[in-house]
Amino acid sequence: MTLPGSPHVAYRGDTLHVEERSLADLAARFGTPLYVYSQGAMRAAAADWQRALAGRDHLICYAMKANSSLAVLQTFVRAGCGFDIVSGGELDRVLAAGADPAKVVFSGVGKTRAEMRRALEAGVLCFNVESESELDVLSSVAATSGHTARVSLRVNPDVDAGTHPYISTGLKANKFGVAHDRVIDAYRHAATQPGIEVVGIDCHIGSQITEIGPYLDALDRVLDLVEAVESHGLRLHHLDLGGGLGITYTDEAPPAAHALVAALLERIDARGHGHRRILFEPGRALVGNAGVLVSEVLYLKPGEAKNFCIVDAAMNDLMRPAMYQAWMGIVPCRLRDGVPATYDVVGPICESGDWLGQDRALNVQPGDLLAVLSAGAYCMSMASNYNSRGRAAEVMVAGENAWLIRDREQPAELFKGEHLLP
Ligand code: LLP
């Protein structure tokens, strides 16, 4: 049985493996729910982007919101990547993982003064500024602290990325970026502000994009803006084309990173912009297919309308189905003989929205292990403690090696910062 997603997650005989390690063995050793990642898959994904950009001045800034566990970040530090951060917390995390601040870009619509100050002190490569009011605040924070903030404006190109409305960001109706018709004035204003150095332009149109077309549309609009801005005597050294490349969860067929990059470079060169530094901010495409969530089947509950397969992982561990009705593959860690039945795979949380998959054909018994596939991105990083559930443990696999990279969160840790009333 071949699985969608990464070749690093595959059956050997009847047993599901991540690289050389069987998930059943890892679950026996570390317990469930358990996130297991393939470091090889992450490294291969990063290499695909980097190879496509070889010979160009470029930086792949891993959008760490997709998975910000330290060992994941460290993997990308070692692969030579930069990082896209969206908070002071992400800055602290990525520095703790050994990142070079000079390879960090700071995005986000709501940066606070404290976050700006911290990022200026650290010396981040660039602030991706999302509004004119943010620009003014950044200017005053930088000027009063004796720093210069290198700035790109995140422009909203008003293109439809053709993805889920919650993860589409490049339309006029979205809160992100400087509106297309304000961009020139905003740049001219930026150039006159103390503490600001204009260095580039940025756009990010959405997430889980499975076609090249929307990227090319956005690129054309961005290049039009670059030409218009430079006609006013400003220089934009880099183009940051954001992230958003989709992965295969089921039958999606997104372009490979190298194909996307090749198409964009061709257009960039054709329009005479080939000398510029190119940045990308992929998140999901670097980690999504590298991870699985392993969970134990607790109970089977046949019913008139539905059969339920109740597992020990829940929406707090993996929010995407509840939040976006996202379809994620669910497969047994060991194949059994026999006829499958149709189940809704649900967790123990007291919400009807607590499901991981609906109407799935599964041949399982209580005590069996299931793996949710393509769970490397936006799963652990979006986990919560709802129902006072500790977050899952995480393991990184590289070949035969398996390292525990995050302890299972214990109940007492969940309330250690709380105080009883006197
Ligand atoms: N750059 C910026 C400015 C972003 O806002 C994002 C994602 C990225 C890069 C990386 O996008 P990616 O390459 O991962 O698509 N939680 C949702 C996805 C939210 C994406 C938010 N921004 C999900 O689970 O589908």
Side-chain angles (χ1 to χ4, degrees), residues 258-274:
H258 65 262
L260 172 65
V261 171
L264 292 171
L265 290 178
E266 189 187 320
R267 182 70 56 92
I268 288 169
D269 289 346
R271 290 194 50 177
H273 292 265

Side-chain angles (χ1 to χ4, degrees), residues 18 32 172 234 251 326 352:
V18 167
T32 55
K172 267 189 191 155
L234 286 151
D251 56 1
S352 295

Side-chain angles (χ1 to χ4, degrees), residues 63 65 84 107 154 167 204 206-208 243-245 281-284 320 324 378 382:
K65 63 171 79 70
D84 171 58
S107 302
R154 174 169 175 186
I167 52 178
H204 169 80
S207 197
Q208 186 54 17
L245 178 60
E281 303 169 357
R284 189 190 319 263
R320 303 192 68 258
Y324 317 107
Y378 303 110
M382 291 172 69

